[in-house]
Amino acid sequence: MIELGVDIINDVSNLNYDSKMVDIIKNSNVSYILCHSRGIPQNMDEFCNYKNAADEIYEELFKKSQFLIDEGIEKERIIIDVGFGFAKNIEQNFELLKRIKEFNSLGFKNLAGLSRKRFIKSLANDKNLEIQDDLTMLASFYLIQENVDIIRVHNVQKTKTALDFYNAIYSQKPYP
């Protein structure tokens, strides 16, 4: 796939599914998204047993990112993702959202993918995508204020509107 022009590998396994992943990253120039996760999709809800989710996730991402650097992968190619929804319950996801800025101190670009996640759905009717997308838009506005570099969403237009609004508020330029 890299030969076909892939620029980024988004590994939701936290380096746990493919034993060749580190070599693939090392032998290419692609960026790598290190997503915190525990278990596999079929059992990850069994791995939400944190004493302090944000602190433990920070430590686990620190160790994995340091491992990647020790393996010779340039820091500039590593993107950190706290893994909203991956082995985290609703309360833990909200804790991560509140403390997302702390992950900037790891020194990497960061990504947040919370669009249509269970904890977003918990505030809306599960079937109502419009409300979920509205909540994602609000969360995206918050994430930008917390210096998150990349936001993964489903409804791009709605999120772009929120980011345009953010830019109009915080830029010196008048809104078009």
Side-chain angles (χ1 to χ4, degrees):
M1 292 199 324
I2 293 172
E3 314 77 52
L4 297 176
V6 170
D7 294 322
I8 299 174
I9 295 174
N10 184 14
D11 180 11
V12 297
S13 79
N14 201 17
L15 289 173
N16 293 321
Y17 295 171
D18 187 343
S19 62
K20 297 176 187 171
M21 183 59 68
V22 173
D23 289 331
I24 292 169
I25 302 163
K26 266 199 303 196
N27 297 320
S28 71
N29 63 353
V30 299
S31 294
Y32 174 75
I33 300 170
L34 176 64
C35 177
H36 179 272
S37 182
R38 291 178 173 176
I40 58 174
Q42 294 79 4
N43 70 4
M44 64 178 49
D45 286 343
E46 298 170 22
F47 293 93
C48 298
N49 53 343
Y50 304 91
K51 290 181 182 166
N52 183 308
D55 290 346
E56 291 176 48
I57 292 162
Y58 184 100
E59 183 65 25
E60 290 175 30
L61 285 171
F62 173 80
K63 287 178 181 175
K64 289 279 181 136
S65 60
Q66 191 57 55
F67 168 75
L68 290 170
I69 290 169
D70 291 346
E71 288 291 317
I73 297 165
E74 299 88 355
K75 187 174 189 172
E76 298 75 31
R77 293 197 298 144
I78 301 169
I79 301 166
I80 297 296
D81 179 355
V82 298
F84 287 105
F86 291 91
K88 288 129 189 122
N89 63 31
I90 291 171
E91 294 79 18
Q92 292 160 345
N93 282 294
F94 278 110
E95 176 190 350
L96 280 174
L97 186 59
K98 290 176 198 171
R99 295 181 60 189
I100 193 72
K101 194 170 194 170
E102 294 174 31
F103 289 84
N104 294 342
S105 68
L106 288 168
F108 300 94
K109 284 186 179 178
N110 54 33
L111 175 143
L114 46 74
S115 180
R116 300 182 183 170
K117 296 287 183 162
R118 186 175 19 186
F119 82 108
I120 296 289
K121 290 178 185 181
S122 74
L123 297 175
N125 178 333
D126 278 10
K127 304 242 187 286
N128 191 328
L129 291 181
E130 185 175 347
I131 292 173
Q132 291 175 45
D133 290 346
D134 287 344
L135 293 170
T136 298
M137 177 184 62
L138 291 170
S140 297
F141 189 89
Y142 170 77
L143 291 168
I144 290 297
Q145 292 175 312
E146 297 298 297
N147 298 315
V148 171
D149 298 299
I150 303 166
I151 301 170
R152 187 200 54 76
V153 299
H154 288 88
N155 190 324
V156 174
Q157 182 57 51
K158 192 167 278 202
T159 303
K160 183 181 180 321
T161 300
L163 300 182
D164 288 346
F165 184 69
Y166 174 88
N167 287 329
I169 292 170
Y170 292 101
S171 73
Q172 299 300 320
K173 301 176 200 168
Y175 192 77

